[in-house]
Amino acid sequence: MALPVRQQMKYWGIAAAVFLVVLWGLGNVILPFLVGGAVAYFMDPVADRLERTGMSRTAATALISIVAVVVFVLAALLVIPTLVRQLAQLINTAPQILGQLQTFLTARFPTIMDNESVLRETLASIGEMIRSRGGELVTTVLSSAMGVVNFVVFIVVVPVVAFYMLLDWDKMISRIDGWLPRDHAPTIRRLASEIDAVLAGFVRGQVLVCVILGVYYSVALALAGLNFGLVVGAIAGFLTFIPYVGALVGGGLAIGLALFQFWGEWWMIALIWAIFQSGQFVEGNILTPKLVGNSVGLHPVWLLFALSAFGTLFGFAGMLVAVPVAAALGVIARFLINQYTESKLYNGLDSVPEPDLRVEVTLAPEAEARLSPETGAVILQPPGRTAP
């Protein structure tokens, strides 16, 4: 016998509360396990595809792990030091760039750039703030992302957790499926499938889009000769996760640096603009439709709210679970709205359709049917028998 709805809501509410309390209390401790689980989730389709080629699950997991370690080592040795160095140089150069902007505005608009001008003081204060607080900002970001646990422990635990979760992923899903309440198992499976489709369409697809655009912008800007082109491309690619923000921030930063570096060489400034314009064209017409899809159910505003709320409440661990939770809440909200629109509360008692009592009868080719003159009922007459 199924539990009443009120009892079910109480138990599900308790489960949600326990999840939030554990996330809040153990956020720093479970961070490596969350990252490892996320890696396993992203790599599970790759492992399934390798299995379909004839490899065992163990061999597929080992191959993925080896490739991931090689990529991480190459990035740590070649890419990350360059990014950090260029970011530090950009922070130190910011006051000089703003000083030249101030000189340019003073020459063109002397009335608004006098010694007591608010705009002049604002530009000067921004430059000093970036130079004094830039290093602190970078340190804070890195410490919030990686320093919540010991760095060595993080580097060791995440690959181990990812390896074993990827190896047993299908078994874990099967075991969890066996724990579902029998009355609601079909509905929960359907909702879980929709949540997985949203995450697969948005997170996996959007991460690929970010990586492709980040590499394109970084390489293209570096080849064009733009100072700090590598870090600008990385920033633009990372912010592409939020629609339009990557193009606006990365494009504005790149064009601003191009104006500072190539002033007077308008074809170089046009080249920088063309790089971002071509990147946006490829993203909007090829990458996003193919990798993400047109409707994944995560609105940018809802995504921003989820990231801000979970990041504020639970730190970096909260930001990791923000997107899956936002996807789950979006799917559940659409399910509840659909249930509401089909209920009597929405349609009213008078709008419930009456049952259709009509019966369709299929006659044999030789049978005949006629109407009774007394009652008007249909009389079926077998073949070879005369009517009474």
Side-chain angles (χ1 to χ4, degrees):
M1 181 177 178
L3 290 175
V5 175
R6 181 173 297 181
Q7 289 287 89
Q8 296 182 30
M9 294 297 294
K10 182 179 72 173
Y11 289 131
W12 286 113
I14 292 174
V18 170
F19 169 75
L20 293 177
V21 170
V22 170
L23 184 64
W24 179 75
L26 300 177
N28 296 343
V29 177
I30 64 175
L31 177 59
F33 300 91
L34 291 176
V35 175
V39 172
Y41 172 76
F42 293 143
M43 293 293 103
D44 179 62
V46 180
D48 292 340
R49 183 168 298 182
L50 291 175
E51 281 189 284
R52 289 194 292 269
T53 63
M55 296 181 65
S56 65
R57 185 73 180 189
T58 303
T61 304
L63 177 61
I64 293 173
S65 301
I66 293 172
V67 173
V69 169
V70 171
V71 171
F72 176 79
V73 170
L74 291 178
L77 293 178
L78 301 178
V79 179
I80 295 179
T82 305
L83 283 175
V84 174
R85 183 174 65 253
Q86 287 198 5
L87 182 60
Q89 293 175 353
L90 178 60
I91 292 173
N92 293 329
T93 310
Q96 180 183 355
I97 296 174
L98 292 176
Q100 292 197 3
L101 175 61
Q102 180 178 328
T103 303
F104 173 80
L105 293 176
T106 302
R108 298 296 189 277
F109 310 100
T111 57
I112 65 173
M113 292 297 293
D114 54 23
N115 292 331
E116 298 181 356
S117 171
V118 175
L119 181 59
R120 183 188 185 95
E121 295 178 358
T122 301
L123 291 176
S125 63
I126 290 175
E128 291 301 322
M129 181 184 67
I130 292 175
R131 184 173 60 183
S132 61
R133 297 294 181 87
E136 180 182 348
L137 176 63
V138 174
T139 303
T140 302
V141 171
L142 292 177
S143 64
S144 64
M146 302 292 290
V148 292
V149 292
N150 185 273
F151 180 76
V152 176
V153 174
F154 189 93
I155 293 299
V156 172
V157 170
V158 169
V160 174
V161 172
F163 177 85
Y164 282 106
M165 292 192 71
L166 181 60
L167 181 64
D168 297 329
W169 187 265
D170 294 336
K171 296 179 181 178
M172 290 189 300
I173 297 300
S174 177
R175 180 65 60 87
I176 294 173
D177 182 79
W179 292 342
L180 297 179
R182 297 298 92 187
D183 290 340
H184 305 290
T187 302
I188 295 175
R189 291 191 190 102
R190 179 167 61 86
L191 293 177
S193 177
E194 294 179 9
I195 294 171
D196 179 69
V198 172
L199 289 177
F202 184 80
V203 179
R204 289 174 180 150
Q206 197 65 48
V207 166
L208 286 176
V209 172
C210 292
V211 171
I212 293 172
L213 287 180
V215 172
Y216 166 72
Y217 288 143
S218 299
V219 173
L221 293 175
L223 292 177
L226 180 69
N227 292 335
F228 318 113
L230 188 63
V231 68
V232 171
I235 292 174
F238 176 76
L239 293 180
T240 303
F241 191 82
I242 306 172
Y244 308 111
V245 174
L248 292 175
V249 175
L253 183 59
I255 294 176
L257 291 174
L259 290 172
F260 170 73
Q261 180 179 348
F262 302 118
W263 182 260
E265 302 179 32
W266 303 111
W267 67 274
M268 288 297 299
I269 299 175
L271 176 62
I272 302 300
W273 172 84
I275 289 174
F276 271 88
Q277 185 65 27
S278 60
Q280 289 304 297
F281 176 82
V282 172
E283 177 198 359
N285 294 277
I286 299 176
L287 295 180
T288 299
K290 296 292 186 182
L291 299 178
V292 180
N294 295 323
S295 58
V296 295
L298 277 181
H299 194 277
V301 176
W302 173 236
L303 177 63
L304 281 174
F305 174 78
L307 290 171
S308 301
F310 277 79
T312 301
L313 293 175
F314 308 111
F316 188 71
M319 295 183 67
L320 287 178
V321 302
V323 175
V325 171
L329 292 178
V331 171
I332 294 173
R334 288 192 294 271
F335 170 75
L336 294 177
I337 292 174
N338 183 63
Q339 294 292 107
Y340 165 69
T341 55
E342 294 178 356
S343 66
K344 295 180 180 180
L345 178 62
Y346 175 79
N347 295 293
L349 297 176
D350 297 334
S351 62
V352 178
E354 297 182 357
D356 190 357
L357 300 179
R358 293 176 298 175
V359 178
E360 295 184 0
V361 178
T362 302
L363 301 178
E366 299 85 359
E368 298 179 1
R370 65 182 182 85
L371 291 176
S372 172
E374 293 83 6
T375 63
V378 178
I379 300 176
L380 301 181
Q381 181 177 323
R385 183 176 298 180
T386 59

